[in-house]
Short mmCIF file of all heavy atoms in Angstrom, two decimals:
data_model
loop_
_atom_site.label_atom_id
_atom_site.label_comp_id
_atom_site.label_asym_id
_atom_site.label_seq_id
_atom_site.Cartn_x
_atom_site.Cartn_y
_atom_site.Cartn_z
N GLU A 1 0.83 -1.20 0.00
CA GLU A 1 0.00 0.00 0.00
C GLU A 1 0.86 1.26 0.00
O GLU A 1 0.55 2.24 -0.68
CB GLU A 1 -0.95 0.00 1.20
CG GLU A 1 -2.02 1.02 1.08
CD GLU A 1 -3.21 0.78 1.99
OE1 GLU A 1 -3.27 -0.28 2.64
OE2 GLU A 1 -4.05 1.67 2.06
N LEU A 2 1.96 1.23 0.74
CA LEU A 2 2.87 2.38 0.75
C LEU A 2 3.51 2.60 -0.62
O LEU A 2 3.75 3.74 -1.02
CB LEU A 2 3.97 2.20 1.80
CG LEU A 2 3.56 2.44 3.25
CD1 LEU A 2 4.64 1.94 4.21
CD2 LEU A 2 3.28 3.91 3.49
N ALA A 3 3.77 1.52 -1.34
CA ALA A 3 4.41 1.62 -2.65
C ALA A 3 3.40 1.83 -3.78
O ALA A 3 3.79 2.20 -4.89
CB ALA A 3 5.22 0.36 -2.93
N GLY A 4 2.13 1.62 -3.49
CA GLY A 4 1.11 1.70 -4.52
C GLY A 4 0.74 3.12 -4.92
O GLY A 4 1.24 4.11 -4.37
N ASP A 5 -0.17 3.21 -5.87
CA ASP A 5 -0.59 4.50 -6.42
C ASP A 5 -1.75 5.13 -5.66
O ASP A 5 -1.97 6.33 -5.79
CB ASP A 5 -1.01 4.33 -7.88
CG ASP A 5 0.17 3.99 -8.77
OD1 ASP A 5 1.30 4.40 -8.44
OD2 ASP A 5 -0.04 3.31 -9.80
N ARG A 6 -2.47 4.36 -4.86
CA ARG A 6 -3.65 4.89 -4.19
C ARG A 6 -3.32 6.11 -3.33
O ARG A 6 -4.02 7.13 -3.40
CB ARG A 6 -4.32 3.82 -3.33
CG ARG A 6 -5.64 4.28 -2.71
CD ARG A 6 -6.18 3.30 -1.68
NE ARG A 6 -5.43 3.30 -0.44
CZ ARG A 6 -5.59 4.21 0.54
NH1 ARG A 6 -6.43 5.20 0.39
NH2 ARG A 6 -4.87 4.14 1.64
N LEU A 7 -2.26 6.03 -2.56
CA LEU A 7 -1.89 7.14 -1.68
C LEU A 7 -1.50 8.38 -2.46
O LEU A 7 -1.84 9.50 -2.08
CB LEU A 7 -0.75 6.75 -0.74
CG LEU A 7 -1.06 5.78 0.39
CD1 LEU A 7 0.20 5.46 1.17
CD2 LEU A 7 -2.11 6.35 1.32
N ARG A 8 -0.81 8.18 -3.55
CA ARG A 8 -0.33 9.32 -4.35
C ARG A 8 -1.46 10.11 -4.97
O ARG A 8 -1.28 11.26 -5.35
CB ARG A 8 0.62 8.82 -5.42
CG ARG A 8 1.92 8.30 -4.85
CD ARG A 8 2.92 7.96 -5.95
NE ARG A 8 4.00 7.19 -5.39
CZ ARG A 8 4.13 5.88 -5.51
NH1 ARG A 8 3.26 5.19 -6.21
NH2 ARG A 8 5.14 5.25 -4.96
N GLN A 9 -2.61 9.51 -5.11
CA GLN A 9 -3.75 10.19 -5.72
C GLN A 9 -4.55 11.02 -4.71
O GLN A 9 -5.46 11.74 -5.09
CB GLN A 9 -4.67 9.16 -6.39
CG GLN A 9 -3.99 8.43 -7.52
CD GLN A 9 -4.82 7.28 -8.05
OE1 GLN A 9 -5.89 6.99 -7.55
NE2 GLN A 9 -4.31 6.61 -9.07
N LEU A 10 -4.20 10.93 -3.44
CA LEU A 10 -4.92 11.65 -2.40
C LEU A 10 -4.44 13.09 -2.31
O LEU A 10 -3.32 13.41 -2.70
CB LEU A 10 -4.69 10.97 -1.04
CG LEU A 10 -5.20 9.54 -0.89
CD1 LEU A 10 -4.76 8.97 0.45
CD2 LEU A 10 -6.72 9.49 -1.02
N PRO A 11 -5.30 13.98 -1.79
CA PRO A 11 -4.86 15.35 -1.53
C PRO A 11 -3.67 15.33 -0.56
O PRO A 11 -3.53 14.40 0.25
CB PRO A 11 -6.08 16.02 -0.89
CG PRO A 11 -7.24 15.16 -1.26
CD PRO A 11 -6.71 13.77 -1.46
N ALA A 12 -2.84 16.34 -0.59
CA ALA A 12 -1.58 16.36 0.18
C ALA A 12 -1.79 16.09 1.66
O ALA A 12 -1.07 15.28 2.25
CB ALA A 12 -0.88 17.70 -0.02
N GLY A 13 -2.75 16.74 2.28
CA GLY A 13 -2.98 16.55 3.71
C GLY A 13 -3.40 15.14 4.05
O GLY A 13 -2.89 14.54 5.01
N GLN A 14 -4.32 14.61 3.27
CA GLN A 14 -4.80 13.24 3.51
C GLN A 14 -3.69 12.23 3.22
O GLN A 14 -3.54 11.23 3.93
CB GLN A 14 -6.02 12.95 2.66
CG GLN A 14 -6.67 11.63 2.98
CD GLN A 14 -7.95 11.40 2.17
OE1 GLN A 14 -8.37 12.25 1.40
NE2 GLN A 14 -8.54 10.24 2.37
N TYR A 15 -2.88 12.51 2.19
CA TYR A 15 -1.76 11.64 1.86
C TYR A 15 -0.81 11.55 3.05
O TYR A 15 -0.40 10.45 3.45
CB TYR A 15 -1.00 12.16 0.64
CG TYR A 15 0.32 11.49 0.43
CD1 TYR A 15 0.40 10.28 -0.26
CD2 TYR A 15 1.51 12.04 0.92
CE1 TYR A 15 1.61 9.63 -0.44
CE2 TYR A 15 2.73 11.41 0.74
CZ TYR A 15 2.78 10.21 0.06
OH TYR A 15 3.98 9.57 -0.12
N LYS A 16 -0.46 12.70 3.62
CA LYS A 16 0.47 12.72 4.74
C LYS A 16 -0.06 11.93 5.93
O LYS A 16 0.66 11.13 6.52
CB LYS A 16 0.77 14.16 5.16
CG LYS A 16 1.75 14.24 6.31
CD LYS A 16 2.43 15.57 6.37
CE LYS A 16 3.38 15.70 7.51
NZ LYS A 16 4.48 14.80 7.52
N VAL A 17 -1.33 12.13 6.26
CA VAL A 17 -1.93 11.43 7.41
C VAL A 17 -1.94 9.93 7.17
O VAL A 17 -1.50 9.14 8.01
CB VAL A 17 -3.35 11.96 7.69
CG1 VAL A 17 -4.07 11.07 8.69
CG2 VAL A 17 -3.30 13.39 8.19
N GLU A 18 -2.46 9.51 6.03
CA GLU A 18 -2.56 8.06 5.75
C GLU A 18 -1.18 7.42 5.62
O GLU A 18 -0.97 6.29 6.06
CB GLU A 18 -3.40 7.82 4.50
CG GLU A 18 -4.87 8.14 4.75
CD GLU A 18 -5.80 7.52 3.74
OE1 GLU A 18 -5.47 6.46 3.18
OE2 GLU A 18 -6.87 8.11 3.53
N ASN A 19 -0.24 8.14 5.03
CA ASN A 19 1.12 7.63 4.90
C ASN A 19 1.75 7.42 6.29
O ASN A 19 2.37 6.38 6.55
CB ASN A 19 1.95 8.60 4.06
CG ASN A 19 3.27 8.00 3.65
OD1 ASN A 19 3.34 6.88 3.17
ND2 ASN A 19 4.33 8.78 3.81
N GLU A 20 1.57 8.39 7.17
CA GLU A 20 2.13 8.27 8.53
C GLU A 20 1.44 7.14 9.31
O GLU A 20 2.10 6.44 10.08
CB GLU A 20 2.00 9.60 9.28
CG GLU A 20 2.92 10.68 8.76
CD GLU A 20 4.39 10.29 8.80
OE1 GLU A 20 4.84 9.75 9.82
OE2 GLU A 20 5.09 10.55 7.80
N ILE A 21 0.15 6.97 9.13
CA ILE A 21 -0.57 5.88 9.80
C ILE A 21 -0.02 4.54 9.34
O ILE A 21 0.25 3.65 10.15
CB ILE A 21 -2.09 5.98 9.55
CG1 ILE A 21 -2.67 7.16 10.32
CG2 ILE A 21 -2.79 4.68 9.93
CD1 ILE A 21 -4.12 7.48 9.99
N LEU A 22 0.18 4.39 8.03
CA LEU A 22 0.71 3.12 7.51
C LEU A 22 2.14 2.87 8.00
O LEU A 22 2.49 1.74 8.34
CB LEU A 22 0.65 3.11 5.99
CG LEU A 22 -0.75 2.98 5.39
CD1 LEU A 22 -0.72 3.20 3.89
CD2 LEU A 22 -1.35 1.62 5.71
N LYS A 23 2.96 3.91 8.04
CA LYS A 23 4.33 3.75 8.54
C LYS A 23 4.32 3.34 10.01
O LYS A 23 5.11 2.49 10.43
CB LYS A 23 5.11 5.05 8.38
CG LYS A 23 5.51 5.35 6.95
CD LYS A 23 6.28 6.66 6.94
CE LYS A 23 6.62 7.11 5.56
NZ LYS A 23 7.34 8.40 5.58
N THR A 24 3.42 3.93 10.79
CA THR A 24 3.32 3.58 12.21
C THR A 24 2.85 2.14 12.37
O THR A 24 3.38 1.40 13.20
CB THR A 24 2.36 4.55 12.94
OG1 THR A 24 2.87 5.88 12.79
CG2 THR A 24 2.24 4.21 14.41
N LYS A 25 1.86 1.73 11.58
CA LYS A 25 1.41 0.34 11.62
C LYS A 25 2.56 -0.60 11.27
O LYS A 25 2.76 -1.63 11.93
CB LYS A 25 0.25 0.11 10.63
CG LYS A 25 -1.07 0.65 11.08
CD LYS A 25 -2.14 0.33 10.04
CE LYS A 25 -3.50 0.81 10.47
NZ LYS A 25 -4.52 0.46 9.47
N ARG A 26 3.32 -0.25 10.25
CA ARG A 26 4.46 -1.07 9.84
C ARG A 26 5.47 -1.19 10.98
O ARG A 26 5.94 -2.29 11.30
CB ARG A 26 5.12 -0.44 8.60
CG ARG A 26 6.36 -1.19 8.12
CD ARG A 26 7.08 -0.44 7.04
NE ARG A 26 7.55 0.85 7.56
CZ ARG A 26 7.95 1.85 6.80
NH1 ARG A 26 7.94 1.74 5.49
NH2 ARG A 26 8.36 2.97 7.35
N ASP A 27 5.80 -0.07 11.61
CA ASP A 27 6.76 -0.09 12.71
C ASP A 27 6.24 -0.91 13.90
O ASP A 27 7.00 -1.63 14.53
CB ASP A 27 7.09 1.33 13.15
CG ASP A 27 7.85 2.11 12.09
OD1 ASP A 27 8.37 1.49 11.14
OD2 ASP A 27 7.90 3.35 12.19
N ASN A 28 4.95 -0.79 14.19
CA ASN A 28 4.37 -1.55 15.30
C ASN A 28 4.41 -3.05 15.03
O ASN A 28 4.68 -3.84 15.94
CB ASN A 28 2.94 -1.10 15.59
CG ASN A 28 2.89 0.25 16.27
OD1 ASN A 28 3.85 0.70 16.87
ND2 ASN A 28 1.75 0.91 16.17
N ILE A 29 4.14 -3.44 13.81
CA ILE A 29 4.20 -4.86 13.45
C ILE A 29 5.63 -5.38 13.59
O ILE A 29 5.86 -6.47 14.12
CB ILE A 29 3.63 -5.10 12.03
CG1 ILE A 29 2.12 -4.89 12.04
CG2 ILE A 29 3.98 -6.51 11.54
CD1 ILE A 29 1.49 -4.90 10.66
N LYS A 30 6.59 -4.60 13.13
CA LYS A 30 7.99 -5.01 13.27
C LYS A 30 8.37 -5.17 14.74
O LYS A 30 9.10 -6.09 15.11
CB LYS A 30 8.91 -4.00 12.59
CG LYS A 30 8.85 -4.06 11.08
CD LYS A 30 9.77 -3.02 10.46
CE LYS A 30 9.74 -3.08 8.95
NZ LYS A 30 10.63 -2.07 8.33
N MET A 31 7.88 -4.27 15.59
CA MET A 31 8.15 -4.37 17.02
C MET A 31 7.51 -5.62 17.62
O MET A 31 8.10 -6.28 18.47
CB MET A 31 7.68 -3.12 17.76
CG MET A 31 8.58 -1.93 17.53
SD MET A 31 8.15 -0.52 18.56
CE MET A 31 6.79 0.17 17.64
N LEU A 32 6.30 -5.95 17.16
CA LEU A 32 5.65 -7.16 17.66
C LEU A 32 6.43 -8.40 17.27
O LEU A 32 6.56 -9.34 18.07
CB LEU A 32 4.22 -7.26 17.12
CG LEU A 32 3.19 -6.35 17.78
CD1 LEU A 32 1.87 -6.41 17.01
CD2 LEU A 32 2.98 -6.75 19.22
N ILE A 33 6.96 -8.42 16.07
CA ILE A 33 7.75 -9.56 15.62
C ILE A 33 8.99 -9.73 16.49
O ILE A 33 9.40 -10.85 16.81
CB ILE A 33 8.12 -9.42 14.13
CG1 ILE A 33 6.85 -9.55 13.27
CG2 ILE A 33 9.17 -10.44 13.71
CD1 ILE A 33 7.04 -9.21 11.81
N ARG A 34 9.58 -8.61 16.92
CA ARG A 34 10.79 -8.66 17.76
C ARG A 34 10.49 -8.76 19.25
O ARG A 34 11.41 -8.84 20.06
CB ARG A 34 11.63 -7.40 17.52
CG ARG A 34 12.26 -7.31 16.15
CD ARG A 34 13.22 -6.14 16.07
NE ARG A 34 12.64 -4.89 16.51
CZ ARG A 34 12.16 -3.93 15.70
NH1 ARG A 34 12.20 -4.11 14.40
NH2 ARG A 34 11.66 -2.82 16.20
N LEU A 35 9.24 -8.78 19.64
CA LEU A 35 8.87 -8.74 21.05
C LEU A 35 9.52 -9.85 21.89
O LEU A 35 10.03 -9.56 22.97
CB LEU A 35 7.34 -8.77 21.20
CG LEU A 35 6.81 -8.64 22.62
CD1 LEU A 35 7.28 -7.33 23.25
CD2 LEU A 35 5.30 -8.72 22.62
N PRO A 36 9.56 -11.10 21.45
CA PRO A 36 10.21 -12.13 22.28
C PRO A 36 11.67 -11.80 22.58
O PRO A 36 12.11 -11.91 23.72
CB PRO A 36 10.08 -13.41 21.46
CG PRO A 36 8.88 -13.19 20.61
CD PRO A 36 8.91 -11.73 20.27
N GLU A 37 12.43 -11.34 21.56
CA GLU A 37 13.83 -11.00 21.80
C GLU A 37 13.95 -9.85 22.79
O GLU A 37 14.82 -9.84 23.66
CB GLU A 37 14.54 -10.63 20.49
CG GLU A 37 14.74 -11.77 19.55
CD GLU A 37 13.82 -11.66 18.35
OE1 GLU A 37 13.19 -10.61 18.16
OE2 GLU A 37 13.74 -12.64 17.60
N THR A 38 13.07 -8.87 22.66
CA THR A 38 13.09 -7.73 23.56
C THR A 38 12.83 -8.16 24.99
O THR A 38 13.53 -7.74 25.92
CB THR A 38 12.04 -6.69 23.11
OG1 THR A 38 12.28 -6.33 21.75
CG2 THR A 38 12.10 -5.44 23.97
N LEU A 39 11.83 -9.01 25.17
CA LEU A 39 11.51 -9.49 26.52
C LEU A 39 12.62 -10.36 27.09
O LEU A 39 12.98 -10.24 28.27
CB LEU A 39 10.19 -10.25 26.51
CG LEU A 39 8.93 -9.41 26.27
CD1 LEU A 39 7.71 -10.31 26.13
CD2 LEU A 39 8.73 -8.41 27.39
N ILE A 40 13.18 -11.23 26.28
CA ILE A 40 14.28 -12.10 26.73
C ILE A 40 15.47 -11.25 27.17
O ILE A 40 16.04 -11.48 28.24
CB ILE A 40 14.68 -13.10 25.63
CG1 ILE A 40 13.56 -14.13 25.42
CG2 ILE A 40 16.00 -13.78 25.96
CD1 ILE A 40 13.71 -14.96 24.17
N LEU A 41 15.82 -10.27 26.35
CA LEU A 41 16.94 -9.40 26.70
C LEU A 41 16.65 -8.65 28.00
O LEU A 41 17.53 -8.53 28.85
CB LEU A 41 17.20 -8.42 25.57
CG LEU A 41 18.41 -7.51 25.74
CD1 LEU A 41 19.69 -8.34 25.87
CD2 LEU A 41 18.52 -6.56 24.58
N HIS A 42 15.44 -8.20 28.18
CA HIS A 42 15.07 -7.48 29.40
C HIS A 42 15.17 -8.39 30.63
O HIS A 42 15.65 -7.98 31.67
CB HIS A 42 13.66 -6.91 29.28
CG HIS A 42 13.20 -6.21 30.50
ND1 HIS A 42 13.72 -5.00 30.89
CD2 HIS A 42 12.30 -6.55 31.45
CE1 HIS A 42 13.15 -4.62 32.02
NE2 HIS A 42 12.28 -5.54 32.38
N ILE A 43 14.74 -9.62 30.48
CA ILE A 43 14.78 -10.57 31.59
C ILE A 43 16.23 -10.96 31.92
O ILE A 43 16.61 -11.06 33.08
CB ILE A 43 13.95 -11.82 31.27
CG1 ILE A 43 12.47 -11.46 31.25
CG2 ILE A 43 14.20 -12.93 32.29
CD1 ILE A 43 11.59 -12.54 30.66
N GLU A 44 17.03 -11.17 30.90
CA GLU A 44 18.40 -11.63 31.10
C GLU A 44 19.36 -10.53 31.54
O GLU A 44 20.39 -10.82 32.12
CB GLU A 44 18.94 -12.28 29.82
CG GLU A 44 18.28 -13.60 29.51
CD GLU A 44 18.77 -14.21 28.22
OE1 GLU A 44 19.32 -13.48 27.36
OE2 GLU A 44 18.62 -15.43 28.07
N SER A 45 19.03 -9.28 31.25
CA SER A 45 19.96 -8.21 31.61
C SER A 45 19.86 -7.91 33.10
O SER A 45 18.77 -7.71 33.63
CB SER A 45 19.66 -6.96 30.79
OG SER A 45 18.37 -6.47 31.09
N PRO A 46 21.00 -7.87 33.78
CA PRO A 46 20.98 -7.68 35.22
C PRO A 46 20.92 -6.20 35.64
O PRO A 46 21.32 -5.85 36.72
CB PRO A 46 22.30 -8.30 35.66
CG PRO A 46 23.20 -8.11 34.49
CD PRO A 46 22.31 -8.20 33.29
N VAL A 47 20.42 -5.35 34.78
CA VAL A 47 20.32 -3.93 35.12
C VAL A 47 19.17 -3.71 36.09
O VAL A 47 18.25 -4.52 36.17
CB VAL A 47 20.13 -3.06 33.86
CG1 VAL A 47 21.35 -3.15 32.96
CG2 VAL A 47 18.87 -3.44 33.12
N GLU A 48 19.25 -2.61 36.79
CA GLU A 48 18.18 -2.30 37.73
C GLU A 48 16.87 -2.08 36.97
O GLU A 48 16.90 -1.69 35.80
CB GLU A 48 18.53 -1.08 38.56
CG GLU A 48 18.87 0.15 37.73
CD GLU A 48 19.44 1.26 38.58
OE1 GLU A 48 20.57 1.11 39.05
OE2 GLU A 48 18.74 2.26 38.74
#
């Protein structure tokens, strides 16, 4: 969807909002995929 033409056809303001929403969704999904490693590292690290 980010690479497609649908977003480019939107008015500038709507394009920016929808583009940022999609980027945020993408980043959140990537964080969910890495969640086990993040939790493991947090548990194993002896920091306060």
